Structures are given as structure tokens and as C-alpha cells.
């Protein structure tokens, strides 16, 4: 028993010693863990930005920029991206460009932006609304010293801007062009964009052409008659002018009236925006603007005389001005020489930039900054969680100088961003181009993903479409209504007919003043090529069990039964379209007819008649959705979710092969189908398109798809 007792006491002693050692070890480990956490905290809370602490000027090369709604995967663009061409065409998404300019507005390291326009006709975009959206972003940059945050993305971004831009200074923007005389654009979108910059310069031998806004329509009625083709059109709305190109030889009274009203509205909006940004005197009124149009080509001196241009340097001065500031500390003589060279430009403006930053480099740095911010937020959450679970851990952090509740993170950043930790999302879904089955299926795939994502609280439907087929449009409308989530619409250059149809039940509609929308009307076309075939010795005959069996045949004449049936279909769809607008927009049905009839409205006009709610671009719509339908902070995600690099390469390869195959087989398929079957099916489905080119494109694509 004694031996057993001694053995037991020895075991207890050993256990006690082991326990004591374990506690000491755990304490050391705990301290080590805390020390490691403190080291990580020190690194992430005291890290400096990788952006150079210089006064940067952001360069926007508009002379080689193509603005698009959404980049499409293609082998050529992928190769261009990999090869990093410095002088090639840049495809830039409108939202990406606007975000970059907004970020620069709140970045204390960016003191100016510089837009280059080259010879004045390299810039490409989808329309005036794209230009207007970019102009608004530049306005935000110019007014950033006033802490003007209207329409600048999500509240999260605005909070970040307030954290960074605590001592705002006046920023400047500069535009330079060799000439503003684009022969293909009499309305001169390049100058319309450049005029938003605080200083606009042009070579002294450059020209300025502001001939006014113009639209051209093609009429094929006489050509079709010459070749023996009849076009039977069924439509509702005297202003539904899309089919006029195949039924008329010129503008009808209604067609001319609507086109003139559109042009006057756009031209008026362009004048007002240029007048505001260029600070025209009261004397520069609409009559003077009309005189500018009618004068013709102006010399650089003419343009400067009437305040369209500020200075006429022989070369772009920005490069010298940046060098002037960059070499100030190293070579005062050279700096002074450059200052004297450009003294006339510096009288009214104190040029501060000493380094040029390209848009590609700045975009890359913004992405890296966003990843870094996410890492900071993640680290803060981890430290806060650990500290709340262990008072010892919190005490050790306090000893090391990292006191709760901020742990040396910026207080405003924690309160405004980290403190509102959320998984909320705002989904962005694009509807681009004619609304046919292909476009509809892509959008439906995106909406299905949105519906299954519980974190998505709202959808921003970005519409840039002239319309399309009624079936595809109806499918998209019902998918949006079935989401069970609010939908906010952002109209780009076009959101007309079918584009408006799918948007009618949105909770809010945003548009630019120069957006083209409305076109609430329907039409269908039945082509009859019997006479064309007969002139070439070809006859067709058929046996049918019903009077409507050959309705869509190209080689069967229209009979009374077909005419009555097609007319009835147009009536039914038109009445339903008006009912949708009435219910979706809260407009009495009796008043909708005056807004409908196929008439196209600009955004400026549409707001007055309650077809849109507010002016603004996609960022304005996202801000509204974030503020109203989320916790106030939300991640912005584009749907459908992007494919991986491997999937994109495979898709691009398949698209290119399919395109080649289709090109080689299209003509032979058409001939075979015509000769062997004696018919080519022509869709006389109900179309909801704004213009004739969109209608023809949809019809041709539909026929080609059938032939494949």
C-alpha cells in the first residue's frame, strides 16, 4: 500500500507538473498567436498604397476608345489584351469607364484628367446617351472639391470617398484634339464629350464642325416593286415607322414629324449641356446655336472666338506641363523654360500634375485596391471575432497597442464599411441588341441565377435595345415579374418598343436625356415574291387543308383570310401592350393612346409624360437600388456569371468555327430549301422594334437561323 501510495503521489506530481507545463505552453502559444495577429494587424493597418504618392493626371485616350455596354468574348480582343497594344482600339465598358472617372474624383493622388481626341473621329460609342453618361462622370470629377457625390455608385463607394477625400482640392480636366471635324458625325459627339472638360484645346490648323444632329432613312418600296416583291404591312400606331422603309418612297407626314421632334429634342439637350459646361453668355442662345450649325466648317480661330475652344497650342501641352512639374526639384532651369513656353495656358489654371497614368494602369491599381480593402475587412472581422471570444486575446492586443473596438483600423472605414458587414448583392443584367430568342435565352439564364441567389436583393436591368419579337419580349417580361425581387431599369442609348415592353413593370426607370425610348406600337410584315419568281420562269402551287396554311410563305399571295387574321393579331397585341404600360406605369388606359401610336420619345420628353422616372446612368440606378433595397452596402455583381478563361476560349473557338461554317453553307441552304421545298418561310410574327434596320436585322437573323 505504501509503495502504491508513493507511486500514486508520484503520478499526481507528474500530472501536476505536466498541467503546469501545458498551461505555460498554452500561454506562450496564445501570446505567440496574439503577437502574430498583431504583426498581421500592423502590416494591414499601416500598409501604404501601392499608388505612387505623386500628383497624377489620368489619361483617357478617347481617340482610340470604343464604348460598349458589355464586352463580348472574341479571339481577336483576347489576343489584343494579351499583346497589350498601346495604340490599338480599346474596347471599354461604359460602367467601367464611369467607375474609373468617379474613383479618380475621390482619389487625392489624382489631381487632373486628360482626354485625347486625335483627329476627332476615332472615338466610337453607341449613341448620345453614352456620351452623356461619360460627361456626367467628368462633371462629378470637376466638382469633386464640392463633395458632390450624386450618382457615384453604391453608398459603399461614397463612404470610401468621404474617408479618403477629407481635404478636397479643385481638380482640373483637359481635352486636346488635332481637329473636331468628323465627316461621319455632323452632330460631333467628340466635341460634345470634350466640352465637359474644364479646358478644351485644339491645334491652330484644326477645324470645328457642328452641323447639327441628323438622321437618314432608306426607302426600298420602288426597288422592291421593280423586282416584283410586294410587302404587306400590318401595324398599329401612325408613328410606327419601322416598316416604312419597305412600303414608302420617302417620309410620311407622321414619320417626318416624329423624326424632327426627336432631332430637335436631342439637339436642344446637346446645346444646353454644352452651354452649361462652357459657361456661355446669355447672348449665346438657340438662335446663335442655329447660326453655328448653318455657318459650316469653322476654323480654330472661329471656334476660339465664340468660346468653344480655350487655347490653340501647336502640340498637346500636357506632356510638357507634366515634365515641368516633374523636373522642378532636379532641373529648375528646364522647369522654368517649360513654364515660360506654356505661360499663356497657366495664367488661368495652376497645373499641378507631375506624373501621367494610363487608364489601364489605373484600372489595374483600382482592382488591386479593392482586393486589399476586402482583405482589410476580412482581417477586421477575424480579429473582432477572436477578441469577443477571448478576453485574454483582447487584453494582449490592448497591451500591444491594438485597442477595441477599432484595433487601429480607420474609425470611419470601420463604421461606414466594415461595421455594416453584409452579404447583400445588387445584380446587373444586360439586355443588349434586338430582342430575339438568342438574347432572351441569355437574359433568362441570368435571371434564373439571380432568382436562386438569396443574397441578391434587387436587379438593375440595363437595357440598350431597339426592341424585337413580341414572344421573346413577353418571355423576358414574365421572367422579370416572376423573380420575386424588385427590378430597377437603366436605359442606355435605346430602350424602345420591345425594350420598353420588358421594362414597363420596373419599380423605377432611369434614362438619359438623349435616350430614345417609347415606340409603343406593333407591326408585322408579309412578303410576297410570287411575281419575282414568275419573272424568272418559276411557278409555285400548293395544296392545303386550311386557308391560313401558307400565311408565312414567301411564294404565296396574301388572301382575305390571312389579312383578317394578321390584322386581328396586331390589334390584340397592341391593346395588350397599352394595358401593360397603363398597369406598369400607373397611367390611365384612356391616356396611354396619346403616348403610344408607335411614337419614339427622347428621355427628356419621356420624363415629362411619365414613361421614365429619373435622369441618370447605370451608377445612378445602382445607387438607388442599393439605398432602397439593401442594408445600405451591397456588392455589385453582373449576371450571368462570367465564364472561366478555359470556358471562354472554348466558346470563342466554337463561335468562330460556327461563323465560318454558317458563311459557307448559308447560300447553298437557301437555294436548296427554295428549289426542293418550293418555299422560304418568312416570319410575319408581331414585331416590337423602333426602327426599320432593327426589324430587318431580326427578320434576316430569324430566317438564317431557320435555314441552318
Amino acid at each position: 500500500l505504501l509503495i502504491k501510495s508513493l507511486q500514486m503521489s508520484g503520478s499526481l506530481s507528474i500530472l501536476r507538473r505536466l498541467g503546469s507545463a501545458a498551461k505555460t505552453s498554452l500561454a506562450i502559444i496564445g501570446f505567440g498567436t496574439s503577437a502574430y495577429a498583431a504583426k498581421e494587424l500592423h502590416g494591414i493597418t499601416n500598409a501604404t498604397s501601392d499608388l505612387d504618392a505623386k500628383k497624377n493626371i489620368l489619361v483617357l485616350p478617347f481617340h482610340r476608345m470604343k464604348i460598349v455596354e458589355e464586352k463580348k468574348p472574341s479571339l481577336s480582343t483576347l489576343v489584343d489584351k494579351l499583346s497589350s497594344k498601346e495604340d490599338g482600339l480599346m474596347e471599354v465598358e461604359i460602367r467601367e469607364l464611369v467607375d474609373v472617372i468617379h474613383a479618380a474624383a475621390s482619389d487625392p493622388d489624382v489631381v487632373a484628367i486628360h482626354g485625347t481626341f486625335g483627329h476627332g473621329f476615332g472615338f466610337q460609342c453607341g449613341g448620345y446617351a453614352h456620351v452623356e453618361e461619360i460627361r456626367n462622370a467628368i462633371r462629378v470629377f470637376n466638382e469633386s472639391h464640392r463633395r458632390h457625390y450624386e450618382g457615384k455608385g453604391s453608398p459603399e463607394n461614397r463612404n470610401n470617398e468621404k474617408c479618403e477625400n477629407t481635404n478636397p482640392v479643385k481638380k482640373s480636366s483637359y481635352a486636346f484634339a488635332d481637329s473636331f471635324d468628323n465627316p461621319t458625325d455632323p452632330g460631333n459627339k467628340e466635341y460634345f464629350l470634350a466640352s465637359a472638360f474644364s479646358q478644351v484645346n485644339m491645334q491652330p490648323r484644326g477645324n470645328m464642325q457642328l452641323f447639327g444632329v441628323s438622321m437618314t432613312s432608306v426607302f426600298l418600296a420602288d426597288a422592291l416593286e421593280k423586282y416584283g416583291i410586294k410587302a404587306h404591312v400590318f401595324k398599329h400606331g401612325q408613328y410606327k415607322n419601322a416598316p416604312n422603309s419597305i412600303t414608302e418612297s420617302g417620309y410620311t407626314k407622321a414619320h417626318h414629324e416624329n423624326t424632327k421632334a426627336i432631332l430637335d429634342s436631342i439637339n436642344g439637350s446637346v446645346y444646353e449641356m454644352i452651354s452649361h459646361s462652357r459657361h456661355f453668355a446669355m447672348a449665346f442662345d438657340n438662335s446663335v446655336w442655329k447660326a453655328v450649325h448653318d455657318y459650316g466648317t469653322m476654323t480654330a480661330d472661329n471656334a476660339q472666338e465664340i468660346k468653344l475652344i480655350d487655347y490653340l497650342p501647336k502640340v498637346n501641352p500636357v506632356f510638357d506641363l507634366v515634365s515641368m512639374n516633374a523636373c522642378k526639384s532636379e532641373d529648375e532651369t528646364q522647369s522654368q523654360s517649360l513654364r515660360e513656353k506654356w505661360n499663356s495656358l497657366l495664367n488661368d489654371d495652376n497645373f499641378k500634375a507631375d506624373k501621367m497614368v494610363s487608364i489601364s494602369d489605373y484600372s489595374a491599381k483600382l482592382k488591386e485596391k479593392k482586393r486589399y480593402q476586402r482583405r482589410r475587412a476580412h482581417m477586421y472581422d477575424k480579429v473582432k471575432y477572436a477578441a469577443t471570444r477571448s478576453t485574454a486575446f483582447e487584453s494582449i492586443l490592448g497591451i500591444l497597442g491594438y485597442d477595441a473596438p477599432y484595433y487601429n483600423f480607420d474609425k470611419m472605414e470601420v463604421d461606414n464599411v466594415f461595421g455594416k458587414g453584409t452579404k447583400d448583392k445588387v445584380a446587373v443584367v444586360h439586355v443588349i441588341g434586338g430582342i430575339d430568342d438568342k438574347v432572351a435565352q441569355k437574359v433568362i439564364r441570368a435571371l434564373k441565377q439571380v432568382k436562386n441567389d438569396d443574397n441578391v436583393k434587387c436587379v438593375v436591368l440595363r437595357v440598350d435595345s431597339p426592341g424585337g419579337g413580341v414572344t421573346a419580349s413577353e418571355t423576358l417580361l414574365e421572367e422579370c415579374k416572376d423573380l420575386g425581387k424588385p427590378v430597377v431599369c437603366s436605359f442606355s442609348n435605346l430602350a424602345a418598343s420591345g425594350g420598353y415592353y420588358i421594362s414597363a413593370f420596373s419599380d423605377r426607370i432611369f434614362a438619359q436625356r438623349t435616350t430614345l425610348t417609347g415606340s409603343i406600337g406593333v407591326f408585322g410584315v408579309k412578303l410576297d415574291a410570287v411575281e419575282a419568281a414568275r419573272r424568272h420562269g418559276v411557278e409555285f402551287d400548293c395544296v392545303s387543308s386550311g386557308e391560313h396554311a401558307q400565311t408565312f410563305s414567301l411564294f404565296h399571295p396574301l388572301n382575305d383570310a390571312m389579312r383578317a387574321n394578321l390584322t386581328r393579331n396586331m390589334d390584340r397585341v397592341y391593346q395588350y401592350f397599352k394595358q401593360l404600360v397603363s398597369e406598369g406605369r400607373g397611367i390611365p388606359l384612356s391616356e396611354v393612346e396619346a403616348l403610344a401610336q408607335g411614337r419614339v420619345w427622347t428621355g427628356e420628353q419621356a420624363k415629362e409624360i411619365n414613361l421614365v422616372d429619373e435622369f441618370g446612368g447605370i451608377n445612378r440606378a445602382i445607387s438607388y437600388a442599393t439605398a432602397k433595397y439593401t442594408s445600405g452596402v451591397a456588392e455589385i455583381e453582373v449576371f450571368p456569371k462570367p465564364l472561366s478563361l478555359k470556358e471562354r476560349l472554348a466558346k470563342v473557338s466554337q463561335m468562330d468555327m460556327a461563323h465560318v461554317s454558317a458563311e459557307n453553307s448559308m447560300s447553298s441552304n437557301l437555294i436548296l430549301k427554295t428549289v426542293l421545298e418550293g418555299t422560304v418561310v418568312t416570319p410575319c410574327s408581331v414585331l416590337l422594334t423602333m426602327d426599320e434596320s432593327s426589324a430587318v436585322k431580326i427578320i434576316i437573323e430569324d430566317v438564317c437561323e431557320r435555314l441552318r
Side-chain angles (χ1 to χ4, degrees):
L1 289 173
L2 181 61
I3 292 172
K4 287 181 178 180
S5 298
L6 288 172
Q7 288 174 339
M8 181 65 73
S9 64
S11 298
L12 289 172
S13 177
I14 291 170
L15 287 172
R16 289 192 189 97
R17 286 199 296 273
L18 286 173
S20 177
K23 288 179 181 179
T24 304
S25 299
L26 288 171
I28 293 172
I29 292 171
F31 185 82
T33 302
S34 301
Y36 175 76
K39 181 181 178 182
E40 288 291 298
L41 272 174
H42 179 77
I44 203 164
T45 56
N46 293 281
T48 57
S49 171
D50 62 350
L51 288 170
D52 294 335
K54 286 184 173 288
K55 296 176 180 178
N56 297 298
I57 182 169
L58 176 64
V59 180
L60 304 174
F62 290 113
H63 67 284
R64 61 183 187 91
M65 202 179 285
K66 180 181 180 180
I67 307 301
V68 297
E69 282 295 318
E70 189 176 34
K71 294 178 185 176
K72 294 181 180 179
S74 69
L75 203 54
S76 59
T77 55
L78 182 60
V79 170
D80 287 346
K81 187 174 181 180
L82 293 173
S83 62
S84 300
K85 291 184 178 179
E86 291 297 328
D87 56 352
L89 183 67
M90 293 177 59
E91 194 173 67
V92 182
E93 291 185 3
I94 181 68
R95 181 169 164 247
E96 176 187 358
L97 177 59
V98 169
D99 284 346
V100 164
I101 298 173
H102 283 167
S106 62
D107 187 345
D109 292 332
V110 177
V111 297
I113 55 175
H114 175 49
T116 59
F117 291 86
H119 298 307
F121 50 88
F123 176 65
Q124 300 178 39
C125 66
Y128 281 97
H130 271 170
V131 179
E132 189 178 345
E133 198 152 352
I134 301 168
R135 279 180 53 90
N136 288 338
I138 295 169
R139 176 180 59 84
V140 168
F141 183 91
N142 291 337
E143 299 178 1
S144 57
H145 63 290
R146 299 177 182 173
R147 305 183 69 82
H148 181 91
Y149 298 101
E150 178 184 355
K152 297 184 65 177
S154 67
E156 178 181 1
N157 291 337
R158 295 201 297 273
N159 288 328
N160 293 344
E161 290 158 3
K162 291 174 184 177
C163 292
E164 296 174 2
N165 202 9
T166 52
N167 294 304
V169 295
K170 186 175 183 351
K171 300 189 177 190
S172 299
S173 55
Y174 306 87
F176 180 83
D178 299 323
S179 191
F180 284 112
D181 57 354
N182 187 346
T184 64
D185 181 14
N188 208 326
K189 296 184 187 69
E190 286 87 350
Y191 180 75
F192 179 37
L193 174 55
S195 65
F197 288 74
S198 53
Q199 186 180 110
V200 185
N201 302 323
M202 184 172 69
Q203 276 193 80
R205 301 303 300 171
N207 293 323
M208 172 71 74
Q209 292 182 170
L210 289 170
F211 295 164
V213 185
S214 176
M215 288 185 183
T216 301
S217 299
V218 178
F219 298 96
L220 305 173
D222 293 342
L224 293 177
E225 183 180 356
K226 178 180 179 180
Y227 289 101
I229 299 174
K230 295 180 181 178
H232 302 283
V233 172
F234 305 85
K235 69 175 185 177
H236 252 299
Q238 63 171 321
Y239 298 105
K240 196 65 179 177
N241 302 311
N244 286 4
S245 62
I246 58 176
T247 61
E248 306 294 337
S249 300
Y251 284 112
T252 63
K253 182 179 179 181
H255 194 172
H256 185 273
E257 177 190 337
N258 194 189
T259 303
K260 184 70 165 57
I262 292 170
L263 294 181
D264 288 346
S265 178
I266 292 175
N267 193 44
S269 295
V270 169
Y271 161 71
E272 288 177 8
M273 285 183 265
I274 291 178
S275 177
H276 181 268
S277 57
R278 295 298 301 163
H279 308 292
F280 286 159
M282 292 294 291
F284 199 116
D285 56 13
N286 283 307
S287 62
V288 177
W289 184 243
K290 179 67 165 57
V292 168
H293 293 338
D294 295 341
Y295 179 83
T297 303
M298 290 181 286
T299 66
D301 290 327
N302 294 151
Q304 185 184 38
E305 184 180 358
I306 61 174
K307 309 301 182 184
L308 294 173
I309 298 293
D310 293 298
Y311 299 102
L312 304 176
K314 294 181 179 179
V315 296
N316 190 343
V318 168
F319 301 97
D320 277 354
L321 294 176
V322 169
S323 298
M324 175 189 74
N325 290 330
C327 70
K328 187 182 296 184
S329 58
E330 299 175 1
D331 192 341
E332 181 63 33
T333 302
Q334 182 184 357
S335 177
Q336 186 59 33
S337 175
L338 291 172
R339 178 171 290 278
E340 291 173 0
K341 177 181 178 181
W342 298 109
N343 187 57
S344 61
L345 273 74
L346 297 172
N347 287 338
D348 301 325
D349 185 79
N350 183 17
F351 190 91
K352 305 177 183 68
D354 56 16
K355 182 183 178 184
M356 302 180 79
V357 179
S358 70
I359 184 174
S360 55
D361 287 344
Y362 192 67
S363 295
K365 289 177 180 179
L366 288 177
K367 291 175 183 176
E368 179 59 33
K369 184 177 179 181
K370 191 173 183 180
R371 287 192 291 269
Y372 174 70
Q373 187 182 63
R374 286 175 178 171
R375 183 181 165 212
R376 286 171 60 84
H378 182 63
M379 172 60 79
Y380 175 79
D381 289 340
K382 286 174 64 176
V383 170
K384 183 179 178 181
Y385 175 78
T388 55
R389 295 291 296 268
S390 170
T391 54
F393 183 80
E394 185 177 20
S395 299
I396 293 171
L397 286 179
I399 293 171
L400 295 173
Y402 297 92
D403 296 320
Y406 297 109
Y407 310 105
N408 285 17
F409 285 89
D410 182 78
K411 181 179 182 299
M412 291 186 69
E413 187 178 29
V414 171
D415 292 340
N416 294 318
V417 183
F418 301 166
K420 295 182 178 179
T422 178
K423 295 181 179 179
D424 290 354
K425 293 180 184 178
V426 170
V428 176
V429 177
H430 290 275
V431 182
I432 303 173
I435 303 174
D436 54 13
D437 184 64
K438 184 178 179 181
V439 170
Q441 290 306 313
K442 179 185 177 182
V443 177
I444 289 170
R445 185 169 74 253
L447 295 177
K448 295 293 186 187
Q449 292 178 3
V450 168
K451 189 174 183 179
N452 294 329
D453 191 334
D454 294 335
N455 292 327
V456 175
K457 306 303 179 186
C458 180
V459 176
V460 172
L461 198 67
R462 176 69 166 182
V463 182
D464 191 24
S465 171
V470 67
T471 303
S473 300
E474 174 67 14
T475 300
L476 290 187
L477 173 63
E478 292 302 326
E479 287 287 343
C480 289
K481 291 166 69 175
D482 190 57
L483 271 178
K485 300 179 181 184
V487 176
V488 172
C489 267
S490 170
F491 289 172
S492 184
N493 300 292
L494 302 167
S497 206
Y500 194 84
Y501 188 102
I502 65 175
S503 312
F505 277 83
S506 300
D507 296 74
R508 200 81 173 164
I509 296 178
F510 291 82
Q512 301 290 4
R513 288 173 170 80
T514 53
T515 296
L516 296 182
T517 187
S519 191
I520 302 165
V522 299
F523 76 95
V525 179
K526 156 70 174 170
L527 294 177
D528 177 356
V530 173
E531 179 61 27
R534 185 170 293 145
R535 291 180 186 180
H536 292 82
V538 180
E539 294 286 350
F540 294 91
D541 205 351
C542 68
V543 178
S544 305
S545 61
E547 291 187 273
H548 303 288
Q550 292 295 312
T551 298
F552 302 114
S553 172
L554 186 62
F555 299 107
H556 195 285
L558 184 74
N559 59 38
D560 291 341
M562 294 176 188
R563 185 185 301 277
N565 182 52
L566 293 173
T567 301
R568 185 170 62 248
N569 283 344
M570 297 304 138
D571 292 344
R572 175 177 52 82
V573 176
Y574 182 56
Q575 296 304 323
Y576 181 64
F577 196 170
K578 291 194 296 181
Q579 184 179 339
L580 284 180
V581 174
S582 174
E583 294 177 3
R585 298 298 301 166
I587 303 172
L589 186 59
S590 58
E591 298 177 13
V592 174
E593 178 66 18
L595 314 179
Q597 302 182 57
R599 185 158 192 156
V600 178
W601 307 93
T602 64
E604 183 90 43
Q605 297 167 330
K607 187 173 183 296
E608 294 177 0
I609 58 177
N610 197 31
L611 290 181
V612 303
D613 297 298
E614 292 186 38
F615 295 136
I618 187 169
N619 279 26
R620 188 74 178 269
I622 290 172
S623 291
Y624 175 86
T626 303
K628 184 166 184 178
Y629 299 110
T630 75
S631 59
V633 177
E635 180 182 352
I636 314 303
E637 185 171 341
V638 177
F639 288 79
K641 296 179 180 178
L643 302 175
S644 66
L645 179 60
K646 182 178 179 181
E647 291 171 328
R648 288 176 63 188
L649 287 171
K651 183 176 180 181
V652 167
S653 177
Q654 292 170 2
M655 286 169 58
D656 290 343
M657 291 299 292
H659 178 72
V660 172
S661 175
E663 288 289 331
N664 292 336
S665 63
M666 185 60 62
S667 58
S668 59
N669 278 345
L670 177 59
I671 294 170
L672 282 172
K673 200 167 186 73
T674 302
V675 174
L676 297 180
E677 299 181 16
T679 181
V680 173
V681 177
T682 59
C684 189
S685 55
V686 184
L687 293 173
L688 304 172
T689 62
M690 179 192 76
D691 58 357
E692 57 272 15
S693 60
S694 304
V696 172
K697 182 180 178 183
I698 289 172
I699 291 173
I700 292 174
E701 288 177 350
D702 189 68
V703 171
C704 293
E705 189 65 32
R706 292 165 189 250
L707 291 175
R708 287 183 185 139

